[in-house]
Amino acid sequence: MKEALFRFVKEEMNQYVGHDFDHSVRVHRNAMMIAQEETCDMMVVEAAAIVHDYLDHKFSNETTSRKEKLSLVLQDVGLASSQIDHVITIIDTMSFTKGVPMTTMEGMIVQDADRLDALGAIGIARTFAYGGHLGRPLYGTSESSLQHFDDKLFKLKNLMNTSKGKVLAIARHEFMLMYIEQLAQELRI
Ligand code: NI
């Protein structure tokens, strides 16, 4: 199942900076780490983690046809229709209604796994890569990449759903604080 879904994501999503295939691989790995400590439907967690960015409105305005395509792919890899509905509900909620709490353990795990990839050393790398892609300055304005840490990234650790997610997020949060401190010293800001 995993391999087929990774292949699907690789084909469909590799042109998107910060939400590319490697992001899916990392979110899947994070989700596995968190799921070990929870009671959950692993098939739903794995599938949702791998395809979680596929319906993001940033990527398409043909959401309905993408949903149908995704349903077929999930069916092909052996998910039951209730599991398919669950996966689609999870990634729909993650994509469009940010800030709305997830209602199932599987959703909480995948949301935490995605948030973890925005934190720590990889979170820093992604922030500057994405900022560069949009032509944002590194620092010094309210539109800068550095501002994104205060606007979003430093808030994430308090939004984690699972206890394992929280522990992992705190470690990555601490590392980002150290990084920002060093950066501020170098820049004298
Ligand atoms: Ni994501």
Side-chain angles (χ1 to χ4, degrees), residues 13-20 58-59 126 129-133:
M13 306 207 50
N14 238 1
Q15 66 268 44
Y16 304 112
V17 173
H19 295 270
D20 53 16
K58 280 201 293 294
F59 304 142
R126 288 179 72 210
Y130 192 61
H133 176 69

Side-chain angles (χ1 to χ4, degrees), residues 19 23 27 31 44-45 47-58 86-103 106-116 152 161:
H19 295 270
H23 170 63
V27 171
V44 168
V45 169
I50 296 168
V51 302
H52 77 276
D53 274 331
Y54 184 65
L55 297 179
D56 197 305
H57 63 285
K58 280 201 293 294
H86 192 175
V87 168
I88 288 181
T89 305
I90 290 171
I91 69 179
D92 250 351
T93 319
M94 280 177 68
S95 320
F96 299 117
T97 36
K98 304 250 160 67
V100 173
M102 302 304 275
T103 52
E106 290 77 9
M108 290 180 194
I109 291 169
V110 178
Q111 188 175 50
D112 277 6
D114 191 34
R115 284 174 170 164
L116 271 178
K152 181 179 169 197
N161 304 302

Side-chain angles (χ1 to χ4, degrees), residues 17-173:
V17 173
H19 295 270
D20 53 16
F21 174 69
D22 292 329
H23 170 63
S24 279
V25 172
R26 294 190 302 268
V27 171
H28 175 260
R29 195 188 305 135
N30 292 342
M32 293 298 91
M33 242 183 324
I34 298 169
Q36 275 173 7
E37 315 215 341
E38 307 289 349
T39 309
C40 60
D41 181 339
M42 284 302 279
M43 248 176 127
V44 168
V45 169
E46 288 205 67
I50 296 168
V51 302
H52 77 276
D53 274 331
Y54 184 65
L55 297 179
D56 197 305
H57 63 285
K58 280 201 293 294
F59 304 142
S60 175
N61 31 34
E62 318 145 23
T63 309
T64 314
S65 62
R66 282 170 84 88
K67 234 177 240 182
E68 280 162 13
K69 193 169 175 183
L70 181 60
S71 298
L72 287 176
V73 171
L74 292 171
Q75 202 180 350
D76 276 351
V77 298
L79 269 76
S81 67
S82 62
Q83 291 175 309
I84 296 173
D85 290 347
H86 192 175
V87 168
I88 288 181
T89 305
I90 290 171
I91 69 179
D92 250 351
T93 319
M94 280 177 68
S95 320
F96 299 117
T97 36
K98 304 250 160 67
V100 173
M102 302 304 275
T103 52
T104 63
M105 178 48 75
E106 290 77 9
M108 290 180 194
I109 291 169
V110 178
Q111 188 175 50
D112 277 6
D114 191 34
R115 284 174 170 164
L116 271 178
D117 201 52
L119 296 176
I122 186 64
I124 295 168
R126 288 179 72 210
T127 300
F128 288 113
Y130 192 61
H133 176 69
L134 297 180
R136 287 182 180 151
L138 294 179
Y139 59 93
T141 76
S142 62
E143 296 300 305
S144 67
S145 293
L146 193 54
Q147 186 61 37
H148 186 64
F149 287 84
D150 281 335
D151 289 350
K152 181 179 169 197
L153 305 187
F154 283 131
K155 294 177 181 161
L156 290 180
K157 83 165 164 49
N158 292 331
L159 298 175
M160 301 303 278
N161 304 302
T162 63
S163 46
K164 179 75 176 176
K166 235 168 255 170
V167 170
L168 295 168
I170 288 169
R172 292 185 182 208
H173 181 92

Side-chain angles (χ1 to χ4, degrees), residues 1-13 21 50 73 77:
M1 173 196 98
K2 248 189 309 198
E3 289 70 23
L5 288 181
F6 275 130
R7 217 175 307 125
F8 171 69
V9 169
K10 192 166 195 168
E11 280 163 17
E12 297 279 336
M13 306 207 50
F21 174 69
I50 296 168
V73 171
V77 298

